[in-house]
Amino acid sequence: MESLRPILEFKNTCVSYTRQTMAVKNVSAQIERNAITAIMGPSGCGKSTLLRAVNLMHNLYPNIRVEGEILLNGENILSMEPINVRRRVGMVFQRPTPFPTMSIYDNVLAGFSLNGIRLSKTDRDATVERCLKSVALWDEVKDVLNKKGTFLSGGQQQRLCIARALAMKPEVLLMDEPTSALDPIATKHIEELLLELHKDVTILIVTHNMGQAKRISSKSMFMYLGELVEYGDTEVLFTNPKDERTKSYLTGKMG
């Protein structure tokens, strides 16, 4: 039964910055377990705002209001403690953000440190190796684990950030344009990585890159002016969109 239920569900989700400014308007959608779901749309359409609501990042700003429901395995995220949500929902940002004062080793374990979770040395070592192997970084850094994370290339740093997000074994991984600051080769490596990772974790990725959405996602959402215009199989969305606004965006008539 668990596998049939959507892992994540938006129910009339709204996000507003002021009473007059609604950034996300009544979004309702069911996100499939272990799918890669791409969220597309022009700049300012509410993609990242919707994504960050899932991780309760808007709680950091008292003027931002989130209404409706966001269900994670049937539980409303909006009534949960942020620390509990962030253990279950990982986040990777647009630019690689390894903690600059921490070693590669400590970056992977940062979630445990920040949450006050103590691990034995054996468990710490095993977690670091597991997570770095999962992002195909272990062989490249196993001999320099005590070096700062910022010592790595941009693509390696982003893989380190993904490893850090995976360390807590989240159910969902949120990615906000994770390859937009990377070169084509690093981008290809991240895309190949995501195609492996979604076997174990559900991925929501905001992307401006329509080619990327076609390459890696099985489901796609198209947003415009804060509304969810269309949502469904990526192949169908690209070949036979139901809404003219979706068609205009995908054919380059809307930027």
Side-chain angles (χ1 to χ4, degrees), residues 201-222:
V201 62
T202 302
I203 297 172
L204 263 72
I205 178 169
V206 165
T207 180
H208 271 110
N209 185 331
M210 287 184 275
Q212 180 172 79
K214 286 177 74 173
R215 285 190 297 270
I216 68 170
S217 70
S218 56
K219 297 285 183 180
S220 287
M221 305 169 72
F222 172 65

Side-chain angles (χ1 to χ4, degrees), residues 72-158:
L72 176 62
N73 282 321
E75 297 178 75
N76 188 6
I77 283 172
L78 303 181
S79 22
M80 293 167 62
E81 287 296 321
I83 191 170
N84 294 329
V85 173
R86 290 171 194 149
R87 286 177 187 171
R88 298 172 64 185
V89 181
M91 182 99 190
V92 177
F93 297 94
Q94 185 170 1
R95 294 191 172 276
T97 55
F99 295 120
T101 61
M102 289 186 182
S103 66
I104 294 167
Y105 183 97
D106 289 337
N107 257 283
V108 176
L109 299 171
F112 294 95
S113 305
L114 293 170
N115 286 302
I117 301 170
R118 291 175 177 267
L119 297 176
S120 68
K121 178 70 164 60
T122 302
D123 285 344
R124 289 200 304 272
D125 290 349
T127 299
V128 169
E129 183 171 347
R130 170 181 63 82
C131 294
L132 291 176
K133 280 183 173 176
S134 74
V135 298
L137 195 56
W138 175 251
D139 288 338
E140 297 170 40
V141 303
K142 63 184 179 183
D143 297 322
V144 290
L145 291 174
N146 290 324
K147 286 202 171 186
K148 296 285 191 288
T150 48
F151 153 81
L152 303 172
S153 70
Q156 289 174 320
Q157 286 185 30
Q158 194 64 305

